């Protein structure tokens, strides 16, 4: 009986394999204990659970993982530094299988007062800002993965930009996941705090080097004080056999602007839960996304845009391209609370279905409790425009070429908004690769 | 008085169908168990297959729970306190209108639905269902000439058992959901329509439902079968007296369209919705589903939902035949403490199938108005299309509008398009129209009818007029 | 035609108009100019009867009747027309239907027969040319999906259809490119006769190159600070609004 129960309690079993992170700070230790209690005895959600309706964790529950830090000498390639974007040359943090790598990290030329450091070190030093914000935004709610990360995280990124400071160049957080024989699990944690009138761009990049099985379970918390601006780019390029289950919570104060661009390319199963809370007047949030699935990949994005106060705007453009036996899921909720008058919320989800064997699921959701608002959402599932295909063919392009060009064009909307040129380049290449090695699409498009 | 206040005063209109008719009833024990189901079967003189259907459904029901996923809140229903069968005490069989209780005839007169054929609306045949029992069906002979069968489901079970046996439960199985299972066990009456091959029904068919008894639920069941190349348009209206308690209404409607057949089903639902504090009103849990069984068949649902304390209703179409078409047009108005969770399911199974969803939700007072819809294109449904629009309008700042669309597509030749917007009747819009010389009431009415017009134009003429009036009562009236 | 005496008005407790005096006679064109937030749009809205503003003092006499107690629609039927600064979008209500309804309301007011849809179509076609508007816009919903310029032209089209006695044009020119401005202005000029009057609220002098006002009034901080002929607009363009507040000699009123 106990054995059977233990069998289903996947996260419990995993938890048992981790040693305590050993934070001396009482507050952090207590948070970790509380999180561990939260998942004790909790089963993985099944597809009967509304929020997991199209995302089955059955295969995950059968996998066997060891903590990533148990891998004694991960196979880090000699050219790992090549993953640093030129724009982030002077400030980047690198993590190998979730473990901080001092050797690959660099944080010079930062404006005074700016902190970019390993979260474990910052917490060990008792940094008050970090202690104040940690665990405040990524709430448990009904979700077992946020507490799972919280219970066992150790390393991660801490970024703090003080009042009225602008970090002009992007800060890169590089997560390299190596090709190992053992199946490992990691729980990196990011805490990003922008003080009043600060400005920054953060690039979070998850790269799988092999085609091995692992579980990447990151949690990011973002707190923006008044009048601050942040651009957040996330690239998920995990191994095609990996599981990527991430949580992002952003807390946005008065007159602030948070822009998030999330691109999901890798993983056998990726699931992102993103939540932006517009806590005060005149705040703006963007949650754009691009998802490309192929083979038997499944990518599931659940977003929450929570308008709590008047005169805020939000924008969401989420695009999915589905090929092979891939599955994409988008569940986007917009809440407009009773006080949030004059809200202007826009959401669009577009799905491009390239194969006859893929599945697209869309559930855009508006929940409106204020009357003087302008909210709209649109969702489409469709194919490449036949007239456009025909047009290009009459110009002498082969069918696969037209397909590549038009698919590239479909993805471009989201890519173009990303303010870091080398990421745009990188992504263009990824789209090219996705639509099967084409010749220079950019030349044609 | 500010515009917002005026609009609010406009929406507070009394319910005018709230009277109760004094007739005697055949009383029945409360609660639901196997004996009750057998008693209903006895009264109805069910053939064996019907009794078995009921018992199977009942047994399954006991293993089910109330569905809790909808965006509605109500106290748990105590099914032991509900009377599952109620019928006006009169002769068991009615051969002519003369035998109907005059009180009941008067009720329908008051509702504006005269049952005597001299006074009838031209071109509309009516089946009147009072509490759970059909009391009168008009124009039977004229329909019979064309070969159209329009009668109560009880008569159909006796006179057309093969058709009933073949089709009842074929679209909504006895174990489909909690309320459908309950209905399958205890349904007492309802309407039956059969349109033979190649026949276009010579008139609109209409059923008026009236709940009169405070403690009874109403569980009617409607079955419409349209054979190849036939056409029928069916209308349904409902009202109930005002009681301070809640009455349960759990109906099942099944439609079957064979090759090239078309069924148009329109509803104006105006059950009592409770008072402004949320006391009383009908709990309306309805399962309506149509099966486009044949190629090139078409099923179209149009609903104007203005009543009920709770509405839980998703008229759906399963497009099994190739080239079949499903449509759903809906206006749902909520006011005071009403809660509506309504929408549709469009299931595309056949190739080249096409569906359209137009949903308009208007929320006022303290009400909550939700659209919930599923569009599913199965991998085999090549070249299928769906187009959905669901718009919400809010009046006042204490109500809520919610949209929960589910889109699922599994092939690369189909397309699904969904759009939704939320807006309000703005002070600025009203001022603009007033500046052009329209008075305030006309301005509000123009905006609301403009908002709903894509749905109203789908209603048969007689009903469109009634629906607009009804919305008028619900949302406009005279400036207070 | 219109006499405004000592008009004070407020919105949510803030006084916007602080004693306006104005006399408009038939056949005249009055331009009301002023910096942003001076109260000039408010003045137009109050004459039309916008519910957000409260008149606290003074009177507005139109054709011998007090307007203040009248509902906006009553004023409209009596010939007061406002072209909106931000014309409102009304989904589901077709443009031609609205104009026919509005036109027939005025016909009724005058004791004349309403026009049926066909008669109305004949009537409106002429008016379309006046503002160089595409007939297709008639079947669209009121202002829905119209460009900024189309919305403004639609306002003038409605003015042409309803033939008001007093037209209040609230910043009809702002946001228009030069071609649209020309079309709108010419439309307004053609509608201007000896029997009706125009009150033109504008922030820019530009429109006055096309429409020649008989009087120009400069509104600053809820008061008319200066009145004069069309040359006043040119002075303003040259010196800016500060020039007016510096030279105060106003309409019989102390600063």
């Amino acid at each position: 009986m106990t054995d059977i129960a233990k069998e289903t309690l996947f996260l419990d079993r995993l938890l048992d394999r981790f040693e305590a992170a050993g934070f001396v700070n009482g507050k952090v230790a207590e948070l970790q204990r509380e999180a561990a209690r939260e998942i004790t005895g909790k089963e993985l959600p099944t597809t009967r659970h509304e929020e997991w309706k199209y995302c089955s964790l059955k295969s995950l529950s059968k996998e066997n993982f060891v903590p990533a830090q148990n891998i004694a000498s991960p196979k880090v390639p000699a050219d790992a530094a090549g993953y640093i974007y030129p724009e982030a040359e002077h400030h980047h943090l690198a993590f190998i299988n979730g473990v901080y790598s001092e050797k690959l990290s660099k944080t010079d030329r930062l404006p005074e007062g700016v902190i970019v450091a390993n979260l474990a070190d910052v917490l060990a030093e008792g940094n008050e800002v970090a202690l104040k914000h940690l665990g405040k935004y990524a709430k448990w709610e009904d979700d077992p993965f946020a507490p799972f990360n919280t219970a066992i995280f150790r390393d991660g990124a801490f970024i703090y930009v003080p009042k009225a400071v602008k970090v002009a160049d992007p800060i890169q957080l590089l997560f390299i996941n190596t090709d190992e024989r053992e199946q490992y699990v990691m729980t990196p944690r990011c805490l990003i705090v922008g003080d009043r009138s600060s400005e920054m761009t953060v690039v979070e990049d998850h790269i799988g080097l092999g085609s091995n099985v692992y579980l990447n379970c990151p949690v990011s918390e973002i707190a923006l004080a008044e009048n601050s601006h942040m651009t957040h780019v996330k690239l998920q390029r995990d191994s095609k056999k990996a599981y990527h289950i991430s949580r992002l919570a952003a807390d946005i104060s008065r007159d602030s602007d948070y822009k998030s661009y999330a691109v999901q390319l890798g993983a056998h199963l990726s699931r992102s839960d993103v939540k932006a809370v517009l806590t005060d007047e005149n705040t703006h949030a963007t949650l754009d996304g691009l998802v490309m699935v192929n083979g038997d990949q499944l990518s599931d994005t659940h977003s929450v845009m929570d308008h709590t106060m008047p005169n805020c705007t939000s924008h969401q453009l989420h695009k999915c391209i589905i090929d092979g036996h891939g599955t994409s899921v988008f569940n986007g909720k917009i809440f407009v609370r009773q006080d949030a008058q004059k809200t202007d919320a826009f959401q669009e989800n577009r799905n491009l279905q390239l194969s006859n064997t893929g599945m697209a699921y869309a559930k855009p959701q508006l929940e409106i409790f204020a009357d003087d608002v302008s909210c709209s959402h649109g969702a489409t599932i469709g194919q490449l425009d036949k007239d456009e295909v025909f047009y290009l063919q009459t110009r002498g392009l082969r069918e696969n070429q037209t397909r590549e060009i038009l698919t590239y064009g479909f993805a471009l909307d989201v890519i173009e908004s990303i303010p870091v040129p080398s990421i745009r380049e990188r992504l263009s290449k990824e789209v090219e690769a996705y639509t099967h090695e084409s010749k220079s699409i950019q030349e044609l498009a | 008085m500010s515009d917002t206040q005026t609009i609010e005063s406009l929406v507070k209109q009394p319910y005018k169908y709230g009277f109760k008719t004094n007739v005697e009833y055949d009383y029945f024990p409360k609660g639901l168990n196997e004996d009750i189901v057998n008693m209903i079967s006895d009264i109805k003189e069910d053939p064996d297959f019907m009794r078995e259907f009921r018992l199977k459904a009942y047994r399954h029901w006991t293993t089910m729970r109330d569905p809790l996923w909808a965006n509605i809140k109500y106290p748990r229903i105590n099914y032991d306190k509900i009377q599952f069968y109620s019928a006006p005490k009169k002769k068991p069989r009615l051969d002519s209108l003369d035998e109907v209780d005059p009180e009941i005839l008067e009720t329908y007169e008051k509702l504006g639905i005269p049952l005597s054929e001299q006074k009838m609306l031209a071109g509309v045949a009516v089946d009147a269902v009072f509490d759970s029992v059909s009391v009168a069906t008009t124009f039977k002979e004229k329909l019979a000439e064309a070969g159209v069968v329009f009668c109560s489901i009880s008569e159909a079970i006796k006179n057309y058992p093969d058709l009933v046996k073949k089709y009842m439960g074929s679209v909504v199985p006895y174990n489909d959901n909690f309320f459908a299972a309950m209905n399958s066990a205890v349904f007492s009456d309802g309407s039956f329509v059969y349109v033979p091959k190649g026949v276009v029904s010579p008139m609109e068919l209409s059923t008026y439902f009236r709940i009169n008894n405070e403690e009874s639920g109403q569980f009617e069941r409607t079955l419409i079968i349209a054979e190849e190349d036939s056409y029928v348009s069916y209308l349904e209206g409902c009202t109930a007296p005002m009681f301070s308690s809640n009455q349960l209404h759990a109906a099942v409607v099944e439609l079957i369209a064979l090759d090239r057949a078309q069924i148009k089903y329109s509803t104006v639902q105006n059950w009592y919705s409770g008072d402004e504090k949320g006391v009383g009103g009908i709990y309306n849990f309805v399962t309506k589903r149509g099966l486009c069984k044949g190629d090139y068949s078409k099923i179209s649902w149009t609903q104007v939902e203005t009543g009920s304390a709770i509405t839980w209703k998703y008229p759906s179409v399963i497009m099994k035949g190739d080239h079949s078409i499903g449509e759903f047009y809906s206006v749902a108005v909520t006011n005071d403490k009403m809660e509506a969770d309504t929408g549709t399911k469009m299931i595309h199974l056949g190739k080249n199938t096409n569906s359209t969803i137009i949903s308009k939700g208007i929320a006022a007072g303290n009400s909550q108005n939700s659209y919930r819809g599923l569009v599913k294109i199965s991998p085999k449904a090549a070249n299928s299309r769906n187009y959905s629009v669901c718009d919400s309008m809010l009046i006042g700042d204490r109500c809520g509008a919610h949209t929960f669309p589910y889109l699922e597509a599994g092939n690369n030749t189909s397309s699904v398009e969904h759009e939704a917007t939320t807006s309000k009747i703005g002070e600025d819009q009203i001022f603009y129209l007033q500046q052009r010389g329209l008075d305030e009431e006309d301005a509000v009415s123009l905006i609301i009818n403009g908002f709903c017009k894509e749905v109203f134009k789908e209603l048969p003429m007689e009903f469109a007029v009634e629906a607009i009036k009804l919305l008028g009562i619900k949302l406009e009236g005279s400036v207070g | 035609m219109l006499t405004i005496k000592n008009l004070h008005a407020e919105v949510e407790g803030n006084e916007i108009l602080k004693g306006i005096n104005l006399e408009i006679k038939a056949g005249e064109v009055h331009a009301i100019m002023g910096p942003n937030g001076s109260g000039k749009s408010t003045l137009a809205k109050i004459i039309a009867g916008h519910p957000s503003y409260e008149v606290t003092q003074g009177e507005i006499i139109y054709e011998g009747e007090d307007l203040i107690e009248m509902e906006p629609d009553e004023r409209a039927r009596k010939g007061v027309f406002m072209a909106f600064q931000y014309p409102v979008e009304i989904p589901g209500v077709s443009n031609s239907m609205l104009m026919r309804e509005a036109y027939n309301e005025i016909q009724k007011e005058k004791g004349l027969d309403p026009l049926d849809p066909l008669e109305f179509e004949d009537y409106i076609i002429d008016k379309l040319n006046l503002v160089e508007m595409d007939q297709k816009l008639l079947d669209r919903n009121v202002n829905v999906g119209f460009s900024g310029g189309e919305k403004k032209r639609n306002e003038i089209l409605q003015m042409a259809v309803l033939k008001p006695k007093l037209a209040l044009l609230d910043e009809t020119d702002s946001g228009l490119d030069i071609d649209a401005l020309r079309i709108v202005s010419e439309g307004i000029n053609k509608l201007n006769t000896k029997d009706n009057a125009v009150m033109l609220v504008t922030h820019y002098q530009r429109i006055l190159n096309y429409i020649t006002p008989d009087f120009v009034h400069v509104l600053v901080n809820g008061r008319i600070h200066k009145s004069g002929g069309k040359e006043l607009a040119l002075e303003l363009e040259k010196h800016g609004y500060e020039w007016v507040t510096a030279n105060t000699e106003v309409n019989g009123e102390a600063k």
Side-chain angles (χ1 to χ4, degrees), chain A residues 263-335:
Chain A
V263 181
Q264 312 281 349
L265 304 170
H268 166 60
L269 182 156
S270 71
R271 164 74 182 227
S272 309
D273 282 49
V274 182
K275 183 172 188 177
V277 185
L278 293 85
T279 64
D280 210 335
E281 286 198 45
N282 192 32
T283 56
H284 311 278
T286 301
L287 295 180
D288 284 0
L290 173 65
V291 170
M292 296 195 276
V293 287
N294 204 339
D296 59 353
Q297 284 181 290
L298 181 151
S299 184
D300 182 343
T301 300
H302 270 57
S303 70
V304 173
M305 190 71 86
D306 196 350
H307 285 266
T308 64
M309 295 294 276
N311 294 307
C312 297
T313 61
S314 66
H315 179 276
Q316 239 182 319
L317 174 64
H318 188 85
K319 289 196 161 187
C320 306
I321 306 175
I322 303 115
D323 207 347
H325 287 82
T327 301
S328 85
V329 183
F330 174 68
N331 181 313
K333 299 185 182 74
I334 298 177
F335 291 101

Side-chain angles (χ1 to χ4, degrees), chain B residues 205-273:
Chain B
L205 307 184
S206 166
T207 300
Y208 269 84
F209 294 98
R210 174 80 180 163
I211 293 181
N212 194 55
N213 187 343
E214 180 164 8
E215 286 166 323
S216 73
Q218 179 149 325
F219 309 95
E220 82 275 3
R221 189 156 188 125
T222 297
L223 178 60
I224 299 179
I225 303 153
E227 291 277 12
E228 286 150 31
D229 300 292
S230 67
Y231 171 84
V232 63
S233 168
Y234 180 91
L235 327 168
E236 172 192 74
C238 1
T239 56
M242 297 195 279
F243 291 120
S244 57
S245 60
N246 302 99
Q247 287 77 46
L248 177 65
H249 174 247
V252 170
V253 176
E254 293 177 281
L255 314 180
I256 295 110
L258 300 180
D259 286 355
R260 297 170 300 280
Q262 295 190 17
I263 302 175
K264 188 172 172 61
Y265 194 107
S266 313
T267 304
V268 174
Q269 185 261 106
N270 186 24
W271 296 120
Y272 178 54
S273 59

